[in-house]
Amino acid sequence: MGWFNRRSRAAVPTPTKLDREATREDLAALEEFVTSRQGVEFYLEPETTATDTTVVAIAHDGEWIRRRTGSPQVAAKLAGRHAVPLYEAARTGYPERMRVWNRAHPERRMR
């Protein structure tokens, strides 16, 4: 009998559920950030089991926001429309100016 067999439970995959899908408000926030700041770059973060594909938009001074885009293709279209460079965060990492900005603005971490 397999009452205590771990393998039988693991054989049935549990579907992943994202916390929420990307919305128009997410894309609008990224567009507003790009148009209101200088030197913005996009850093693409892949979808995980908990979160949809996201983009971190980082301005020249290190200020940043993270928003869902739904897919890498949507992020690429948004970057192309605004002539913003798009990097893969997993390959390039984040720029030092972002870490400097985080240290100078600890109130952002309290949210």
Side-chain angles (χ1 to χ4, degrees), residues 3-84:
W3 290 353
F4 300 106
N5 186 348
R6 291 181 187 201
R7 199 173 275 184
S8 64
R9 278 185 271 149
V12 179
T14 304
T16 59
K17 177 144 176 70
L18 300 177
D19 58 347
R20 72 174 176 83
E21 298 288 327
T23 63
R24 291 178 192 222
E25 290 79 21
D26 291 326
L27 299 178
L30 287 168
E31 289 200 32
E32 190 278 326
F33 190 85
V34 167
T35 58
S36 64
R37 285 143 178 108
Q38 295 179 351
V40 176
E41 298 173 332
F42 282 174
Y43 289 82
L44 182 69
E45 299 174 324
E47 179 179 318
T48 67
T49 57
T51 305
D52 207 353
T53 301
T54 55
V55 164
V56 178
I58 306 173
H60 78 286
D61 62 353
E63 183 182 4
W64 62 276
I65 64 167
R66 175 181 285 118
R67 296 291 183 271
R68 292 165 181 80
T69 59
S71 73
Q73 293 80 12
V74 172
K77 284 182 185 178
L78 186 62
R81 186 178 319 131
H82 293 283
V84 172

